[in-house]
Amino acid sequence: MPELLDLHLADDGVATITLRHGKVNALCVALLNELRDAARSITSGEVAARAVVIGGGPKLFAAGADITEFASDPDPASFAVAGPERVREIGGAFLDALNAVAAIPVPTIASVSGFALGGGCELALACDLRIASSKARFGQPEILLGIIPGGGGTQRLARLVGPSVAKDLVFTGRQVSADEALRIGLVNEVVDPEQLDGRTAELASSLAAGAPNALRLAKAAIDGGLEMSLDEGLRHEQDRFVDVFATRDATVGVASFLESGPGHAAFGDIGPAI
Ligand code: COA
């Protein structure tokens, strides 16, 4: 049983992962390992989710890596930072956990109520969509510690907002407000703090009720294509386009349109996910 997060699957098919580690949800190696395992349990189908929400506490989504793990000797008189093996272990735990989140084949939403800094921002970046409270703040403050992001902050951030904005955030370590995050494309939506849970649940539930195979293939087409040249990506999309017609989603969705017009298809639980 995980101790530093909760994993709950609701009747509507929405799985919610809630970080609950101390005051600030510091992403220590133990929490990252639990996050990796939770994500893999969804990917394997052991937890049969059709959409996933990842959230933190009301004030802190997550304050990033557990900085106490960066010291091999925390005594100020003889202070020493962690050696390369330990740093690789910490970085590897980030890589495994956030890659496992990114690999979840169903839609994922980060629900960000407060600070999402460092690894917290990187966790939000590993999700498909981000909904933020107007009180949320994002940033990659590693440079202020004399280090650099190690959980995707130089890679997923640059792919999402472009290298120029990513360099601004990574070089300065400055925090951005929810409104600025929306303007630069770091989040999809900003809502009043009291509406965050309701809006996230509404979106997750509607995605969970959507065409499950088509959603998986849309995600695979976009994520897979980002690793390829445009030409390869377009062919990758064509293959997924052919794949989707072989699923019952296409049969149900197209028949529903022809019979009842747009937006009436009830996909329900229509067969195994591909
Ligand atoms: N790792 C370990 N401990 C952390 C932490 C982190 N990333 N972030 C905060 N803490 C600890 C603080 O040291 C403090 O501990 P204490 O109560 O024993 O003194 C406690 O959490 C609360 O932090 P505090 O700064 O007092 O709370 P705040 O509400 O004023 O600010 C933050 C919260 C998250 C904005 C602020 O703590 C912060 O900027 N943290 C560092 C974020 C960061 O640099 N992340 C990148 C890591 S690579």
Side-chain angles (χ1 to χ4, degrees), residues 48-61:
R50 288 175 55 156
V52 178
V53 172
I54 299 183
K59 183 181 162 198
L60 265 301
F61 177 73

Side-chain angles (χ1 to χ4, degrees), residues 23-24 26 59-60 63-68 70 115 117-118 141-142 145 147:
K23 291 182 196 163
V24 296
K59 183 181 162 198
L60 265 301
D66 186 341
I67 298 170
T68 64
F70 290 170
F115 290 99
L117 301 177
E142 290 86 352
L145 295 168
I147 62 171

Side-chain angles (χ1 to χ4, degrees), residues 237-248:
E237 181 191 70
Q238 284 299 302
D239 290 342
R240 305 293 79 74
F241 183 63
V242 171
D243 290 343
V244 80
F245 276 80
T247 70
R248 286 192 58 212

Side-chain angles (χ1 to χ4, degrees), residues 35-191:
L35 183 60
R36 174 202 63 202
D37 293 346
R40 287 182 181 169
S41 72
I42 295 167
T43 298
S44 71
E46 181 192 334
V47 175
R50 288 175 55 156
V52 178
V53 172
I54 299 183
K59 183 181 162 198
L60 265 301
F61 177 73
D66 186 341
I67 298 170
T68 64
E69 293 187 339
F70 290 170
S72 69
D73 181 355
D75 183 341
S78 53
F79 183 83
V81 289
E85 280 183 19
R86 178 66 175 146
V87 175
R88 216 166 261 292
E89 188 188 343
I90 295 168
F94 266 101
L95 200 61
D96 287 350
L98 301 196
N99 279 351
V101 169
I104 292 173
V106 301
T108 55
I109 304 170
S111 179
V112 182
S113 54
F115 290 99
L117 301 177
C121 187
E122 290 166 320
L123 171 56
L125 290 167
C127 296
D128 298 318
L129 303 169
R130 285 148 292 279
I131 303 183
S133 143
S134 55
K135 289 190 173 161
R137 293 186 75 80
F138 296 82
Q140 296 291 158
E142 290 86 352
I143 208 81
L144 306 175
L145 295 168
I147 62 171
I148 70 169
T154 68
Q155 301 303 305
R156 290 196 177 96
L157 182 64
R159 282 166 171 76
L160 186 65
V161 302
S164 177
V165 174
K167 285 174 182 169
D168 166 14
L169 300 187
V170 171
F171 289 179
T172 66
R174 73 183 179 88
Q175 294 178 9
V176 299
S177 66
D179 285 342
E180 183 175 357
L182 183 64
R183 186 170 56 73
I184 64 178
L186 179 47
V187 300
N188 298 85
E189 205 174 322
V190 176
V191 298

